[in-house]
Coordinates of all heavy atoms in Angstrom, one line a residue:
T356 N -4.7 15.4 -5.5 CA -5.4 15.3 -4.2 C -4.5 14.6 -3.3 O -3.5 14.0 -3.7 CB -6.8 14.4 -4.2 OG1 -6.4 13.1 -4.3 CG2 -7.7 14.8 -5.4
L357 N -4.8 14.7 -2.0 CA -4.0 13.8 -1.0 C -5.1 13.1 -0.1 O -5.8 13.7 0.6 CB -3.0 14.7 -0.2 CG -1.7 14.1 0.2 CD1 -1.0 13.5 -1.0 CD2 -0.8 15.1 0.9
H358 N -5.0 11.8 -0.1 CA -5.9 10.9 0.7 C -5.1 10.2 1.8 O -4.1 9.8 1.6 CB -6.5 9.8 -0.3 CG -7.2 8.8 0.4 ND1 -8.2 8.9 1.2 CD2 -6.9 7.4 0.4 CE1 -8.7 7.8 1.8 NE2 -7.8 6.8 1.2
W359 N -5.8 10.2 2.9 CA -5.2 9.7 4.1 C -5.7 8.2 4.2 O -6.7 8.0 4.9 CB -5.7 10.6 5.4 CG -5.9 12.0 5.0 CD1 -6.9 12.7 4.9 CD2 -4.8 12.9 4.8 NE1 -6.6 14.0 4.6 CE2 -5.3 14.1 4.5 CE3 -3.3 12.8 4.7 CZ2 -4.5 15.2 4.1 CZ3 -2.6 13.8 4.5 CH2 -3.2 15.1 4.2
H360 N -4.9 7.4 3.6 CA -5.4 5.9 3.6 C -5.4 5.3 4.9 O -4.5 5.2 5.6 CB -4.4 5.2 2.5 CG -4.6 3.8 2.3 ND1 -4.8 3.3 1.0 CD2 -4.9 2.7 3.2 CE1 -5.1 2.0 1.1 NE2 -5.2 1.7 2.5
G361 N -6.6 4.8 5.2 CA -6.9 4.0 6.5 C -7.5 4.8 7.5 O -7.9 4.3 8.5
F362 N -7.6 6.2 7.3 CA -8.1 7.1 8.3 C -9.7 7.2 8.3 O -10.3 7.1 7.2 CB -7.5 8.6 8.1 CG -6.3 8.7 8.9 CD1 -5.0 8.0 8.8 CD2 -6.3 9.6 9.9 CE1 -3.9 8.2 9.5 CE2 -5.2 9.8 10.7 CZ -4.0 9.1 10.5
H363 N -10.2 7.4 9.5 CA -11.6 7.6 9.6 C -11.8 9.1 9.8 O -11.5 9.7 10.9 CB -12.0 6.8 10.8 CG -13.4 7.0 11.4 ND1 -14.4 7.0 10.5 CD2 -13.9 7.3 12.6 CE1 -15.5 7.2 11.2 NE2 -15.2 7.4 12.5
V364 N -12.1 9.8 8.8 CA -12.2 11.2 8.8 C -13.6 11.6 8.0 O -14.1 10.9 7.2 CB -11.1 12.0 8.1 CG1 -9.8 11.5 8.7 CG2 -11.0 11.7 6.5
P365 N -14.1 12.9 8.3 CA -15.3 13.3 7.5 C -14.9 13.3 6.0 O -13.9 13.6 5.6 CB -15.3 14.8 8.0 CG -14.8 14.9 9.4 CD -13.7 13.9 9.3
A366 N -16.0 13.0 5.2 CA -15.8 12.8 3.8 C -15.2 14.0 3.0 O -14.4 13.7 2.2 CB -17.1 12.4 3.2
K367 N -15.5 15.1 3.5 CA -15.0 16.3 2.9 C -13.5 16.6 3.1 O -12.9 17.4 2.4 CB -15.8 17.6 3.2 CG -15.7 18.0 4.7 CD -16.5 19.2 5.0 CE -16.3 19.5 6.4 NZ -17.1 20.7 6.8
Y368 N -12.9 15.8 4.0 CA -11.4 15.9 4.3 C -10.7 14.6 3.9 O -9.6 14.4 4.3 CB -11.2 16.1 5.8 CG -11.7 17.5 6.2 CD1 -12.4 17.6 7.5 CD2 -11.5 18.7 5.5 CE1 -13.0 18.9 7.9 CE2 -11.9 19.9 6.0 CZ -12.8 20.0 7.1 OH -13.2 21.1 7.6
D369 N -11.5 13.8 3.1 CA -10.8 12.5 2.8 C -9.8 12.5 1.7 O -9.1 11.6 1.6 CB -12.0 11.5 2.5 CG -11.5 10.0 2.6 OD1 -10.8 9.7 3.4 OD2 -12.1 9.2 1.8
G370 N -9.8 13.5 1.0 CA -8.8 13.7 -0.2 C -9.1 12.8 -1.4 O -8.1 12.4 -2.0
T371 N -10.4 12.6 -1.6 CA -10.7 11.9 -2.8 C -10.9 12.8 -4.1 O -10.5 14.0 -4.0 CB -12.1 11.3 -2.7 OG1 -13.1 12.4 -2.6 CG2 -12.1 10.6 -1.3
P372 N -11.2 12.4 -5.2 CA -11.3 13.2 -6.4 C -12.3 14.2 -6.1 O -12.3 15.2 -7.0 CB -11.8 12.2 -7.4 CG -11.3 10.9 -7.1 CD -11.4 10.9 -5.6
H373 N -13.1 14.3 -5.1 CA -14.1 15.3 -4.8 C -13.4 16.5 -4.1 O -14.1 17.5 -3.8 CB -15.2 14.9 -4.0 CG -16.2 13.9 -4.8 ND1 -17.2 14.3 -5.6 CD2 -16.1 12.6 -4.9 CE1 -17.7 13.3 -6.2 NE2 -17.1 12.2 -5.8
Q374 N -12.1 16.3 -3.7 CA -11.4 17.4 -3.1 C -10.1 17.7 -3.9 O -9.0 17.8 -3.3 CB -11.0 16.9 -1.6 CG -12.2 16.9 -0.7 CD -12.8 15.6 -0.6 OE1 -12.1 14.6 -0.5 NE2 -14.2 15.5 -0.5
T375 N -10.3 17.9 -5.1 CA -9.2 18.3 -6.1 C -8.5 19.5 -5.7 O -9.2 20.5 -5.3 CB -9.8 18.3 -7.5 OG1 -10.1 17.0 -7.9 CG2 -8.6 18.8 -8.5
I376 N -7.2 19.5 -5.6 CA -6.4 20.7 -5.4 C -5.9 21.1 -6.8 O -5.0 20.4 -7.4 CB -5.2 20.4 -4.5 CG1 -5.7 19.5 -3.3 CG2 -4.7 21.7 -4.0 CD1 -4.5 19.0 -2.5
K377 N -6.2 22.3 -7.3 CA -5.8 22.8 -8.5 C -4.4 23.3 -8.5 O -3.9 23.5 -7.4 CB -6.7 24.1 -9.0 CG -8.2 23.7 -9.2 CD -8.3 23.2 -10.6 CE -9.7 22.7 -10.9 NZ -9.6 21.7 -12.1
P378 N -3.7 23.3 -9.7 CA -2.3 23.9 -9.7 C -2.3 25.2 -9.0 O -3.0 26.1 -9.2 CB -2.1 24.0 -11.2 CG -2.9 23.0 -11.8 CD -4.2 22.9 -11.1
G379 N -1.3 25.2 -8.0 CA -1.1 26.6 -7.4 C -2.1 26.7 -6.2 O -1.9 27.6 -5.3
G380 N -3.1 25.8 -6.0 CA -4.0 25.8 -5.0 C -3.5 25.2 -3.6 O -2.6 24.4 -3.6
T381 N -4.2 25.6 -2.5 CA -3.9 25.0 -1.2 C -5.3 24.4 -0.7 O -6.3 25.0 -0.7 CB -3.4 26.0 -0.3 OG1 -2.0 26.3 -0.7 CG2 -3.2 25.3 1.1
W382 N -5.2 23.2 -0.3 CA -6.4 22.5 0.4 C -6.1 22.3 1.9 O -5.0 21.8 2.2 CB -6.8 21.3 -0.4 CG -7.8 20.5 0.3 CD1 -9.1 20.7 0.4 CD2 -7.7 19.1 0.8 NE1 -9.8 19.6 1.0 CE2 -8.8 18.6 1.2 CE3 -6.5 18.3 1.0 CZ2 -9.1 17.3 1.8 CZ3 -6.7 17.1 1.5 CH2 -8.0 16.6 2.0
T383 N -7.0 22.6 2.8 CA -6.8 22.3 4.2 C -7.6 21.2 4.7 O -8.8 21.3 4.5 CB -6.9 23.5 5.1 OG1 -5.8 24.4 4.6 CG2 -6.7 23.2 6.4
A384 N -7.1 20.2 5.2 CA -7.9 19.1 5.9 C -7.7 19.2 7.4 O -6.6 19.5 7.9 CB -7.5 17.7 5.4
Q385 N -8.9 19.1 8.2 CA -8.8 19.1 9.6 C -9.6 18.0 10.2 O -10.7 17.9 9.9 CB -9.2 20.4 10.0 CG -9.2 20.6 11.6 CD -9.3 22.1 12.0 OE1 -8.9 23.0 11.3 NE2 -9.9 22.2 13.2
F386 N -9.1 17.2 11.1 CA -9.9 16.2 11.7 C -9.3 15.7 12.9 O -8.1 15.9 13.2 CB -10.0 15.1 10.7 CG -8.7 14.5 10.0 CD1 -7.9 13.6 10.7 CD2 -8.3 14.9 8.8 CE1 -6.7 13.1 10.1 CE2 -7.1 14.6 8.2 CZ -6.3 13.7 8.8
E387 N -10.0 14.9 13.8 CA -9.5 14.4 15.0 C -8.9 13.1 14.6 O -9.4 12.3 13.8 CB -10.6 14.2 16.0 CG -10.1 13.7 17.4 CD -11.2 13.5 18.4 OE1 -12.3 14.1 18.2 OE2 -11.0 12.6 19.3
V388 N -7.8 12.8 15.2 CA -7.1 11.4 14.9 C -7.9 10.4 15.8 O -7.8 10.3 17.0 CB -5.6 11.4 15.3 CG1 -5.0 10.0 15.0 CG2 -4.9 12.5 14.4
R389 N -8.7 9.5 15.2 CA -9.5 8.5 15.8 C -9.0 7.0 15.4 O -9.7 6.1 15.7 CB -11.0 8.6 15.5 CG -11.5 10.0 15.9 CD -13.0 10.1 15.5 NE -13.6 11.3 16.1 CZ -14.8 11.4 16.5 NH1 -15.5 10.3 16.7 NH2 -15.3 12.5 17.0
Q390 N -7.7 7.0 15.1 CA -7.3 5.7 14.7 C -6.6 5.0 15.8 O -6.3 5.7 16.9 CB -6.1 5.9 13.6 CG -6.5 6.8 12.4 CD -7.8 6.1 11.7 OE1 -8.7 6.8 11.6 NE2 -7.7 4.8 11.3
K391 N -6.5 3.8 15.7 CA -5.6 3.0 16.6 C -4.2 3.3 16.1 O -3.9 3.6 15.0 CB -5.8 1.5 16.6 CG -7.3 1.0 17.0 CD -7.5 1.0 18.5 CE -8.9 0.4 18.8 NZ -9.4 1.3 19.9
P392 N -3.2 3.1 17.1 CA -1.8 3.4 16.7 C -1.4 2.3 15.6 O -1.8 1.1 15.7 CB -1.0 3.0 18.0 CG -1.9 3.3 19.1 CD -3.3 2.9 18.5
S393 N -0.8 2.8 14.6 CA -0.4 1.8 13.4 C 0.2 2.7 12.3 O 0.3 3.9 12.5 CB -1.8 1.2 12.8 OG -1.3 0.1 11.9
L394 N 0.6 2.1 11.2 CA 1.1 2.8 10.1 C 0.0 2.9 9.1 O -0.7 2.1 8.7 CB 2.3 1.8 9.4 CG 2.8 2.4 8.1 CD1 3.5 3.7 8.2 CD2 3.7 1.3 7.3
F395 N -0.1 4.2 8.6 CA -1.1 4.6 7.6 C -0.3 5.2 6.5 O 1.0 5.4 6.5 CB -2.2 5.5 8.1 CG -3.0 4.8 9.2 CD1 -2.5 4.9 10.6 CD2 -4.0 4.1 8.9 CE1 -3.3 4.3 11.6 CE2 -4.8 3.4 10.0 CZ -4.4 3.5 11.3
W396 N -0.9 5.8 5.5 CA -0.1 6.5 4.4 C -1.1 7.5 3.7 O -2.2 7.4 3.7 CB 0.6 5.5 3.5 CG -0.2 4.6 2.6 CD1 -1.2 3.8 3.0 CD2 0.0 4.4 1.2 NE1 -1.6 3.0 2.0 CE2 -0.9 3.3 0.9 CE3 0.8 4.9 0.3 CZ2 -1.0 2.9 -0.5 CZ3 0.7 4.5 -1.1 CH2 -0.1 3.4 -1.4
Y397 N -0.4 8.4 3.1 CA -1.1 9.4 2.3 C -0.6 9.3 0.9 O 0.6 8.9 0.6 CB -0.8 10.9 2.8 CG 0.6 11.3 3.0 CD1 1.3 12.0 1.9 CD2 1.2 11.1 4.2 CE1 2.6 12.3 2.0 CE2 2.6 11.6 4.2 CZ 3.2 12.1 3.3 OH 4.5 12.5 3.4
H398 N -1.5 9.6 -0.1 CA -1.1 9.4 -1.5 C -2.1 10.2 -2.5 O -3.2 10.3 -1.9 CB -1.0 7.9 -1.9 CG -2.2 7.0 -1.8 ND1 -3.2 7.1 -2.7 CD2 -2.6 6.2 -0.8 CE1 -4.2 6.3 -2.3 NE2 -3.8 5.7 -1.2
S399 N -1.7 10.3 -3.6 CA -2.7 11.0 -4.6 C -3.8 10.0 -4.9 O -3.7 8.8 -5.0 CB -1.9 11.2 -5.9 OG -2.8 11.4 -7.0
H400 N -5.0 10.7 -4.9 CA -6.2 10.0 -5.2 C -6.8 10.7 -6.4 O -8.1 10.8 -6.5 CB -7.2 9.8 -4.1 CG -7.9 8.6 -4.0 ND1 -8.8 8.3 -5.0 CD2 -8.0 7.6 -3.1 CE1 -9.5 7.1 -4.6 NE2 -9.0 6.7 -3.6
A401 N -6.0 11.4 -7.2 CA -6.5 12.3 -8.2 C -7.3 11.5 -9.3 O -7.0 10.3 -9.6 CB -5.4 12.9 -9.0
H402 N -8.3 12.2 -9.9 CA -9.3 11.5 -10.8 C -8.6 11.0 -12.0 O -8.0 11.7 -12.7 CB -10.3 12.5 -11.2 CG -11.5 12.0 -12.0 ND1 -12.2 10.8 -11.5 CD2 -12.0 12.4 -13.1 CE1 -13.1 10.6 -12.4 NE2 -13.1 11.5 -13.4
K403 N -8.6 9.6 -12.2 CA -7.9 8.9 -13.3 C -6.5 9.1 -13.3 O -5.9 8.8 -14.3 CB -8.5 9.4 -14.6 CG -10.1 9.0 -14.7 CD -10.7 9.4 -16.1 CE -12.1 9.4 -16.2 NZ -12.6 8.0 -16.4
Q404 N -5.8 9.8 -12.3 CA -4.3 10.0 -12.3 C -3.6 9.5 -11.1 O -2.5 9.9 -10.8 CB -4.2 11.6 -12.5 CG -4.6 12.1 -13.8 CD -3.9 11.6 -14.9 OE1 -2.7 11.5 -15.0 NE2 -4.5 11.3 -16.1
A405 N -4.3 8.8 -10.3 CA -3.7 8.3 -9.1 C -2.5 7.4 -9.5 O -1.3 7.4 -8.9 CB -4.7 7.4 -8.2
G406 N -2.6 6.5 -10.5 CA -1.6 5.5 -10.9 C -0.3 6.4 -11.2 O 0.7 6.2 -10.7
P407 N -0.4 7.3 -12.3 CA 0.9 8.0 -12.7 C 1.4 8.9 -11.5 O 2.6 9.0 -11.5 CB 0.5 8.7 -13.8 CG -1.0 8.7 -13.9 CD -1.4 7.5 -13.2
Q408 N 0.6 9.4 -10.7 CA 1.2 10.3 -9.7 C 1.8 9.7 -8.6 O 2.8 10.0 -8.1 CB -0.1 11.2 -9.2 CG -0.5 12.3 -10.2 CD -1.5 13.3 -9.7 OE1 -1.9 13.3 -8.6 NE2 -1.8 14.2 -10.6
V409 N 1.2 8.6 -8.1 CA 1.8 7.8 -7.1 C 3.1 7.1 -7.6 O 4.2 7.0 -6.9 CB 0.8 6.6 -6.5 CG1 1.6 5.7 -5.6 CG2 -0.3 7.3 -5.8
Y410 N 3.0 6.6 -8.8 CA 4.2 6.1 -9.5 C 5.4 7.1 -9.4 O 6.5 6.6 -9.3 CB 3.8 5.8 -10.9 CG 4.8 4.8 -11.6 CD1 4.9 3.5 -11.3 CD2 5.6 5.4 -12.6 CE1 5.8 2.7 -12.0 CE2 6.5 4.5 -13.3 CZ 6.6 3.1 -12.9 OH 7.5 2.3 -13.7
R411 N 5.1 8.3 -9.8 CA 6.2 9.3 -9.8 C 6.6 9.6 -8.3 O 7.7 10.4 -8.2 CB 5.8 10.5 -10.6 CG 5.8 10.3 -12.1 CD 5.5 11.6 -12.9 NE 4.1 11.9 -12.9 CZ 3.5 13.1 -13.2 NH1 4.4 14.1 -13.4 NH2 2.3 13.2 -13.2

Side-chain angles (χ1 to χ4, degrees):
T356 75
L357 218 49
H358 166 58
W359 325 107
H360 183 124
F362 265 65
H363 174 50
V364 302
K367 64 179 176 178
Y368 295 134
D369 198 34
T371 71
H373 293 274
Q374 290 92 42
T375 292
I376 318 171
K377 292 279 173 200
T381 297
W382 170 70
T383 297
Q385 183 169 323
F386 51 83
E387 185 185 334
V388 179
R389 296 183 176 220
Q390 306 304 125
K391 299 278 186 226
S393 195
L394 173 69
F395 301 88
W396 62 308
Y397 55 91
H398 62 79
S399 164
H400 213 301
H402 189 49
K403 298 182 191 281
Q404 294 295 319
Q408 290 188 357
V409 172
Y410 192 74
R411 283 187 279 160

